[in-house]
């Protein structure tokens, strides 16, 4: 009975805390942190200004695994408790009063702050990592409380000013305007100022070695685009159209950019493509590209998506996950509009076509979700969410749509919102009842295929032709090749021809394929490189010509397939591609090294060098994309050295969940092979720390 009473009181306490928190408002924070990267330690202080709406007898903040050396309210020490999750201050606060809460603390974050390439001490810092070590944050949702006593609640919006102290030889970037810097011996402090409130999960910083390119938007907003000093040739292709995207977004949305400046910072081994921290987008350095890669894989969509979030998510923030469409659906939609502005209408509608196919498959498989379901997939929130806005704009018209967006953003700026708040503004702007739209697009789980198909056919002649081609191919019992040939000849759309190749390649004659090869369109030729499983001898010259295309996807596919089907010319193909690296993940180089090692009589004297290079790419000093690619090729037949196995164990505890999952799956498979298990047992004796704990646990379970 006592246990039940205790649990009941505990639950009541939590409920009381939540209610009390609604009765006070944190308005401003002065944050000061100093970071020790070798011990992964943050020492900090924060002073919060508090307004009391209704009298309370306690205040709490989210504070994960922190130690507090001082807790002061109105300059006086107060009673507090710290259970490793919450900091609770026991003190009566009177309605209508304002207080200052001062906290001094330390934390060793288990997540949210990521220390990349830092050894346990400066003396063990390898020269290869000194210019590549980084620290960056990713607090999306509710995780900033791992390094700052704050709020795991998007509804608490605070104006954060922050100063950060670190080694003076590094660059520190954070939200807001850099107002000042001060140097003391080997340390430097950067002072950042914000003007408007935001949810604490959007507070961020990045530390590393950077240069930056600067621009100014048409409305005078400073744009700061960061890059690694060695990546000067990648700056223009990566940030191509950045100013144009910014100016377009301001014009299209119809509300001024809400923050003082806009920064974009690439970081290594990021958890996602990008994250829209307030005024400070952090993104994966895998998106830093050269001019060749731009055709295959560029930063434009991510660039525009994270920028759109500065309005939809950062300035106006969802109340909770039931309203996540208001952030991801809107950011996806406006990013598509930015791409439409840059690449044209046809590109825009074909991207919508591709997403409609995925959404329809999801729906047909019984996995369709409502846009109000907080557990919906990214495909639902992003792509179905964007489609919902496409159809809403059609329904209410351009003028009413833009008016509704403007009114919604102005009314709720720096506040939290629900879907109903948005729909009310759209109904007022358009004079239309949107209940059917809400039921169909927001509440309904099925994807409205008939509506989207009609929209695409009305908007895009090339997509209408593709639908017609598919129908004719399904209904016809005649010559499929002749049907495809007719549609091919009757269009000038490279995007349509690319889809024809992708869908009907196996039905095409050699003459038709030769015709497609003769195209100057890189995407059509890439579709051939990717789609052709076999290379007929009479198409060998055409396929060989793909090695000259300015596309890393094409080069990778063409090299591999030519190497497979024409073994007598392997040396020639390797010679012609030996200097190509490919994307940031070194896709072409890793393939080249593997094929060079497997090719008999090809530079036998250099094969030890080739192996050292390929094998070396599993090391932690490389990005997880490069490491995973190297593991895959070594696993495919080359074999693993002891160092590779050590690197694999390291991968199993990596912070990036995708890479960690891959590493653990590979290790589990190797453990089933006796010779590898025996080697892993021996290797475990050389390990320490997390790697030793992980492999020991695996071996103990065997």
């Amino acid at each position: 009975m006592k246990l039940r009473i205790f649990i009941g009181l505990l639950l009541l306490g939590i409920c009381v805390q939540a209610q009390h928190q609604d009765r006070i408002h944190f308005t401003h924070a002065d944050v000061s942190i100093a970071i020790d990267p070798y011990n992964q330690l943050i020492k900090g202080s924060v002073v919060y200004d508090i307004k009391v709406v209704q009298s309370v007898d306690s205040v709490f903040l989210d504070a994960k695994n922190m130690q507090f050396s001082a807790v002061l309210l109105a300059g006086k020490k107060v009673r507090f408790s710290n259970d490793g999750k919450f900091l609770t201050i026991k003190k009566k606060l009177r309605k209508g009063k304002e207080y200052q809460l001062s906290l001094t603390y330390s934390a060793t974050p288990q997540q949210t702050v990521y220390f990349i390439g830092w050894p346990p001490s400066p003396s063990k810092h390898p020269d290869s990592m000194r210019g590549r070590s980084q620290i960056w944050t990713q607090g999306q949702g509710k995780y900033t409380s791992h390094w700052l006593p704050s709020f795991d609640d998007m509804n608490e919006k605070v104006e954060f000013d922050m100063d950060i102290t670190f080694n003076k030889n590094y660059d520190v970037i954070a939200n807001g305007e850099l107002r000042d810097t001060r140097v003391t011996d080997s340390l430097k402090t950067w002072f950042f100022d914000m003007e408007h409130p935001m949810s604490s999960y959007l507070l961020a910083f990045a530390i590393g070695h950077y240069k930056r390119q600067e621009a100014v938007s048409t409305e005078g907003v400073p744009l700061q685009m960061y890059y690694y000093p060695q990546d000067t040739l990648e700056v223009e292709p990566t940030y191509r159209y950045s100013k144009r995207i910014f100016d377009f977004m301001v014009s299209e949305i119809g509300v001024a950019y809400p923050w003082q400046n806009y920064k974009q910072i690439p970081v290594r081994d990021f958890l996602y493509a990008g994250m829209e921290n307030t005024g400070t987008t952090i993104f994966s350095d895998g998106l830093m590209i050269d001019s060749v890669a731009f055709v295959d894989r560029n930063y434009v969509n991510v660039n525009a998506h994270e920028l759109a979030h500065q309005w939809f998510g950062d300035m106006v923030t969802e109340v909770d996950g039931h309203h996540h469409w208001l952030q991801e659906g809107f950011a996806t939609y406006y990013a598509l509009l930015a791409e439409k502005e840059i690449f044209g209408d046809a590109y825009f509608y074909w991207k919508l076509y591709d997403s409609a196919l995925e959404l329809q498959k999801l729906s047909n498989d019984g996995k369709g979700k409502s846009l109000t379901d907080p557990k919906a997939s990214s495909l639902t929130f992003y792509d179905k969410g964007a489609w919902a806005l496409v159809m809403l704009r059609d329904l209410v018209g351009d003028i009413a749509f833009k008016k509704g967006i403007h009114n919604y953003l102005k009314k709720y700026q720096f506040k939290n919102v629900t879907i109903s708040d948005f729909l009310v503004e759209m109904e007022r702007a358009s004079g239309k009842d949107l209940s059917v739209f809400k039921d169909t697009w927001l509440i309904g789980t099925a994807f409205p295929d008939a509506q989207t198909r009609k929209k695409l056919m009305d908007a895009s002649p090339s997509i209408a032709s593709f639908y017609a081609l598919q129908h004719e191919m399904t209904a016809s019992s005649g010559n499929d090749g002749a049907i495809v040939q007719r549609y091919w000849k009757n269009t000038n759309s490279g995007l349509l021809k690319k889809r024809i190749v992708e869908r009907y390649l196996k039905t095409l004659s050699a003459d038709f394929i030769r015709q497609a090869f003769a195209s100057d369109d890189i995407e059509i030729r890439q579709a051939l490189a990717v789609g052709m499983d076999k290379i007929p001898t009479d198409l060998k010259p055409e396929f060989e010509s793909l090695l000259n295309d300015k596309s890393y996807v094409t080069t990778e596919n063409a090299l591999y397939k030519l190497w497979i089907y024409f073994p007598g010319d392997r040396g020639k193909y390797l010679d012609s591609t030996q200097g190509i690296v490919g994307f940031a993940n070194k896709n072409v180089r890793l393939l080249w090294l593997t094929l060079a090692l497997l090719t008999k009589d090809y530079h036998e004297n250099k094969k030890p060098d080739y192996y050292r290079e390929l094998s070396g790419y599993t090391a932690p000093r490389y990005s997880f994309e490069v490491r995973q690619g190297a593991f895959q090729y070594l696993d495919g037949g080359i074999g693993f050295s002891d160092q590779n196995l050590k690197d694999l164990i390291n991968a199993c505890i990596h912070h990036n969940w995708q890479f960690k999952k891959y590493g653990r799956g590979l290790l589990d498979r190797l453990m089933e092979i006796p010779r590898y298990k025996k080697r892993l047992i021996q290797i475990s004796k050389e390990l320490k720390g997390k790697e030793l704990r992980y492999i020991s646990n695996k071996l103990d379970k065997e």
Side-chain angles (χ1 to χ4, degrees), residues 162-165 172 176-183 188-193:
M162 181 162 58
D163 65 78
I164 301 173
T165 299
V172 173
E177 182 179 349
L178 180 62
R179 289 293 178 88
D180 195 12
T181 60
R182 297 174 193 168
V183 177
K188 184 175 180 179
T189 303
W190 290 256
F191 296 86
F192 296 93
D193 169 74

Side-chain angles (χ1 to χ4, degrees), residues 233-264:
L233 295 179
E234 298 181 346
V235 176
E236 189 283 325
T238 301
Y239 291 116
R240 190 176 296 172
Y241 305 120
S242 285
K243 180 182 181 301
R244 182 174 172 185
I245 291 169
F246 192 98
D247 289 337
F248 168 80
M249 207 69 77
V250 172
S251 174
E252 175 63 31
I253 292 171
V255 174
Y257 177 74
W259 315 106
Q260 293 138 291
N261 52 31
Y262 187 55
K263 307 163 191 170
Q264 297 178 81

Side-chain angles (χ1 to χ4, degrees), residues 140-158:
Q140 183 165 6
K142 56 181 182 179
Y143 300 118
T144 295
S145 57
H146 284 266
W147 63 272
L148 175 71
S150 52
F151 319 98
D152 291 351
D153 181 356
M154 291 180 283
N155 295 278
E156 190 70 67
K157 291 204 168 193
V158 179

Side-chain angles (χ1 to χ4, degrees), residues 610-669:
Y610 297 155
Y611 178 75
R612 275 192 293 272
E613 182 180 349
L614 176 62
S615 180
Y617 285 133
T618 66
R621 67 178 177 274
Y622 293 103
S623 71
F624 79 85
E625 296 99 334
V626 172
R627 296 177 69 189
Q628 184 165 324
F631 279 126
Q632 288 169 337
Y633 280 117
L634 291 168
D635 184 37
I638 304 295
F640 298 104
S641 68
D642 284 356
Q643 186 57 54
N644 295 144
L645 294 177
K646 291 178 183 178
D647 293 341
L648 179 58
I649 295 167
N650 173 270
C652 292
I653 59 168
H654 198 274
H655 68 267
N656 185 285
W657 66 270
Q658 295 168 304
F659 183 48
K660 178 167 62 179
K661 181 180 179 181
Y662 168 81
R664 292 182 174 187
L666 176 56
L667 183 67
D668 287 345
R669 187 155 48 80

Side-chain angles (χ1 to χ4, degrees), residues 62-82:
D62 296 287
K64 303 295 189 297
N65 301 312
M66 293 182 181
Q67 293 75 47
F68 290 88
S69 56
V71 177
L72 307 176
L73 188 66
K76 297 180 180 179
K77 291 183 178 181
V78 289
R79 290 173 52 218
F80 69 91
S81 62
N82 173 20

Side-chain angles (χ1 to χ4, degrees), residues 40-71:
Q40 300 191 5
L41 173 68
I42 292 178
K43 292 185 176 181
S45 64
V46 56
V47 179
Y48 281 109
D49 293 336
I50 303 174
K51 289 184 178 180
V52 183
V53 179
Q54 294 184 38
S55 296
V56 296
D57 56 13
S58 64
V59 179
F60 81 95
L61 293 92
D62 296 287
K64 303 295 189 297
N65 301 312
M66 293 182 181
Q67 293 75 47
F68 290 88
S69 56
V71 177

Side-chain angles (χ1 to χ4, degrees), residues 343-356:
F343 301 124
D345 288 6
Y347 182 92
F348 171 74
Y349 288 114
W350 277 106
K351 283 202 74 169
L352 285 175
Y353 170 85
D354 290 338
S355 72

